[in-house]
Amino acid sequence: MSVGRIVVIGVGNEFRHDDGVGWAVTARLAERAADRPLPPGTVVEDCDGDPARLLALWEGAALAVVVDAAHAAPPYPGRVHRLTLDGTGAARTTTTSSHGLGLGDAVELSRVLGRLPRRLVVYAVEGADRSLGRGLSAAVAARVDALADAVEEDVRREVPDGREAGHGRG
């Protein structure tokens, strides 16, 4: 029995310090793949945050897990906000994506078009440094392993009893 396609999306820009946290998490998942592979058929992608690309990546997915950098007021670098949408797009958060058109825009557009995944889990990580350059700040880098663990848990929860996820791009 197929549970549906699962996609993990790291959003960001690895050349703007903490904005690269999503990509750092997908890279960590790739490093772990030999010893701790995600269920077969799970797709792991990086995205620059373009709403149209996000829609294309998560369209038709049973589960989409997104990791992105965020702004919050007041900021607390390294703090993680987790939110889950059940396909209605009704949830809101006080954080915003670190991109001009953000994840919220992609969710709203996807909702209007009827293209939200059945379940969307978003990890929004507050950053300290979005200036040009590579490497995460210490506070954000310290969260990467725990975020990769949380993503793995979300994905495995979607695939009970070791059944395969549906096949998607990959």
Side-chain angles (χ1 to χ4, degrees):
M1 175 180 156
S2 177
V3 297
R5 190 167 74 85
I6 298 172
V7 62
V8 176
I9 306 168
V11 176
N13 180 343
E14 68 181 334
F15 298 105
R16 293 196 67 93
H17 291 291
D18 288 344
D19 192 42
V21 67
W23 290 20
V25 170
T26 58
R28 185 63 42 89
L29 291 170
E31 289 169 8
R32 294 177 172 182
D35 296 324
R36 291 165 46 176
L38 293 172
T42 301
V43 178
V44 178
E45 296 278 350
D46 290 324
C47 179
D48 61 7
D50 175 70
R53 178 140 161 77
L54 284 167
L55 265 71
L57 289 171
W58 71 42
E59 183 176 18
L63 171 66
V65 181
V66 177
V67 181
D68 193 8
H71 299 297
Y76 184 79
R79 180 169 48 187
V80 176
H81 302 265
R82 182 184 189 276
L83 86 132
T84 302
L85 305 176
D86 63 4
T88 64
R92 291 279 182 214
T93 180
T94 57
T95 63
T96 60
S97 172
S98 61
H99 315 286
L101 283 176
L103 184 56
D105 298 305
V107 169
E108 179 60 15
L109 180 59
S110 196
R111 184 192 64 76
V112 167
L113 296 174
R115 293 169 59 183
L116 276 173
R118 187 176 74 220
R119 192 162 68 97
L120 174 64
V121 177
V122 176
Y123 290 94
V125 184
E126 293 181 37
D129 184 359
R130 292 179 304 131
S131 65
L132 291 176
R134 294 188 72 168
L136 302 175
S137 66
V140 173
R143 303 297 298 170
V144 170
D145 282 326
L147 282 162
D149 291 344
V151 169
E152 285 180 10
E153 185 177 320
D154 284 320
V155 169
R156 292 187 198 296
R157 195 173 314 139
E158 187 71 20
V159 185
D161 303 323
R163 288 181 286 200
E164 287 192 10
H167 295 283
R169 286 180 275 213

